[in-house]
Amino acid sequence: MAKITRAQLAQRKRIDFYKKIIIYGFLVMTILPIFTSLFLFYRIGQLEKKLDYALSAEGKDYLTLLSSRDALLDNPNAKSGVFVDSVKSVLGNAEVDTNSATSTEKENAETVVDGENVPESQEGSTDVTQPDATVTNSNGKRVYLTFDDGPSIYTGQILDVLKANNIKATFFVIGREEEFYDYYKRIVDEGHTIGMHSYTHVYQDFYASKESFAEELTKLNDLIYNVTGTKSTIFRFPGGSSNSVSSLAVEEYIDYLNENDIDYYDWNSLSGDAVTNGLSPEQLVNNIMNDVSQNEDSIVLMHDLQTTHTTVESLQLLIDTLKTEGYEILPIDENTPLIQHVSADSVE
Ligand SMILES: [Zn+2]
């Protein structure tokens, strides 16, 4: 055995040291990219699922409402109750058209004079116009509850709550399978207004052309008529009339609606009920109360969605709060101001 000198020992230590650096360096350089790749593949999968959902019929107004949620979370005004403004800012330059609302109100001046007068068409209806025992302090303001995207597995529960409170609302429905037909029928039979909201609710199909738009509405109204015996004369744009998802300019579709005497209604109050990270019933009701306090007439956007149960959970609290604060809750009818993000009058 050769004797190891001190110099040789030091050299061997140095060699061991470099060996370690090379081995660890090699491990880090190979393992890190592998884990990063795995993580990124996982994220791609997650995002693809989200995208499929957003673009699917089940996704509904996911994209629009995601923006609304961001508006709620980002905009400090939302906390002080100016939620409509923050949503308007998300929806682009379009404004909630209060002018057209006012002019419609004037046109209907004979029937709707002001909050205290009873609209002619509802004089006979004790259900709606006679204040419930719980309404003690009418504030002269009107609220129209609207439920989009149904029927769903929760439609029955929504109808039950409305019935128990003797409230009429408005449902903007889509085309569903036969097992949901009874809900279309209940909506009409129980005195609610039924509106159209596209057959598929798949943005790229529905908004593909004026023809696809017309086809879906015809198909949907045929379904509504066959099941309920009533035709619908009102419509809500999926994503609203100021949506940024339609292929053509929205005026093309408005043109079709005007030609066919179909009135469309957007909203000026938003609960945020279709947001994925669900808000609590109290938060939903707060959102709505902040909005409705700023308008004489408020159309409230809610959802009758398979994926959101919070709408049902918050409905009783909402009705109680609205009644306590003296709001009149009505279904949309011909006297309802045309609350539109893009006004129908903007199209010749
Ligand atoms: Zn919708």
Side-chain angles (χ1 to χ4, degrees):
M1 285 292 275
K3 220 179 173 188
I4 297 170
T5 63
R6 188 173 286 182
Q8 280 174 321
L9 198 66
Q11 193 182 18
R12 199 169 284 179
K13 270 189 183 164
R14 261 205 312 279
I15 290 169
D16 281 348
F17 176 71
Y18 287 125
K19 263 189 197 166
K20 271 183 194 160
I21 284 189
I22 290 167
I23 290 168
Y24 286 130
F26 178 76
L27 286 178
V28 168
M29 300 279 275
T30 48
I31 291 172
L32 204 67
I34 289 172
F35 275 107
T36 311
S37 306
L38 286 176
F39 174 72
L40 289 174
F41 274 122
Y42 168 73
R43 285 295 293 158
I44 289 171
Q46 270 189 328
L47 291 171
E48 269 176 351
K49 261 187 222 158
K50 271 192 187 173
L51 187 64
D52 285 346
Y53 172 73
L55 296 176
S56 72
E58 288 295 310
K60 316 295 175 188
D61 295 327
Y62 174 81
L63 292 174
T64 313
L65 286 146
L66 207 60
S67 321
S68 308
R69 183 210 36 192
D70 292 342
L72 172 67
L73 297 177
D74 296 344
N75 194 324
N77 289 336
K79 293 186 186 81
S80 64
V82 198
F83 185 44
V84 170
D85 292 337
S86 61
V87 172
K88 272 195 279 183
S89 72
V90 171
L91 292 173
N93 298 326
E95 288 181 356
V96 174
D97 195 341
T98 45
N99 288 338
S100 90
T102 319
S103 64
T104 313
E105 240 177 343
K106 276 179 196 150
E107 280 164 31
N108 293 321
E110 281 174 36
T111 47
V112 183
V113 181
D114 62 40
E116 281 174 45
N117 290 38
V118 175
E120 207 171 24
S121 64
Q122 288 157 0
E123 243 167 6
S125 163
T126 48
D127 294 359
V128 179
T129 54
Q130 279 201 351
D132 193 281
T134 51
V135 178
T136 50
N137 54 334
S138 170
N139 67 6
K141 293 183 173 185
R142 291 158 298 275
V143 168
Y144 305 85
L145 303 181
T146 67
F147 300 91
D148 284 14
D149 304 347
S152 78
I153 51 171
Y154 298 127
T155 312
Q157 294 177 35
I158 292 175
L159 286 166
D160 290 346
V161 175
L162 294 172
K163 196 177 196 175
N165 290 275
N166 201 12
I167 297 270
K168 308 293 180 222
T170 304
F171 291 78
F172 289 100
V173 298
I174 62 166
R176 293 297 312 254
E177 311 84 306
E178 210 172 327
E179 62 198 273
F180 292 93
Y181 283 9
D182 278 348
Y183 293 130
Y184 296 104
K185 210 169 152 18
R186 267 194 72 186
I187 289 170
V188 171
D189 289 351
E190 295 178 16
H192 306 289
T193 300
I194 195 159
M196 297 175 277
H197 191 50
S198 82
Y199 194 92
T200 62
H201 208 296
V202 177
Y203 290 143
Q204 66 267 42
D205 294 345
F206 181 55
Y207 288 128
S209 65
K210 206 169 160 178
E211 287 71 35
S212 59
F213 183 90
E215 254 170 48
E216 283 206 22
L217 290 191
T218 306
K219 191 178 172 191
L220 178 63
N221 220 354
D222 286 348
L223 166 67
I224 293 172
Y225 182 71
N226 289 335
V227 173
T228 69
T230 303
K231 283 227 167 220
S232 173
T233 58
I234 64 169
F235 168 69
R236 170 169 287 155
F237 282 92
S241 63
S242 58
N243 73 77
S244 53
V245 287
S246 54
S247 320
L248 308 176
V250 73
E251 283 73 19
E252 296 279 333
Y253 311 116
I254 293 176
D255 204 37
Y256 171 83
L257 298 172
N258 288 348
E259 278 166 18
N260 289 275
D261 289 325
I262 300 170
D263 282 328
Y264 61 92
Y265 295 84
D266 289 308
W267 57 88
N268 54 1
S269 172
L270 190 59
S271 66
D273 60 350
V275 167
T276 38
N277 300 324
L279 300 173
S280 72
E282 288 75 18
Q283 286 171 309
L284 295 187
V285 172
N286 274 344
N287 289 343
I288 292 171
M289 295 313 294
N290 284 338
D291 290 342
V292 298
S293 65
Q294 300 173 49
N295 306 303
E296 289 299 304
D297 292 272
S298 294
I299 297 186
V300 178
L301 170 66
M302 290 185 288
H303 288 81
D304 176 8
L305 261 178
Q306 210 95 327
T307 45
T308 21
H309 193 243
T310 33
T311 311
V312 179
E313 287 165 30
S314 60
L315 192 53
Q316 186 60 54
L317 177 64
L318 175 63
I319 291 170
D320 290 344
T321 312
L322 286 168
K323 280 184 172 176
T324 307
E325 298 195 12
Y327 292 89
E328 190 179 8
I329 307 173
L330 298 168
I332 288 179
D333 65 12
E334 66 277 10
N335 299 314
T336 308
L338 288 170
I339 289 168
Q340 299 171 332
H341 299 159
V342 175
S343 165
D345 297 338
S346 66
V347 181
E348 283 304 304

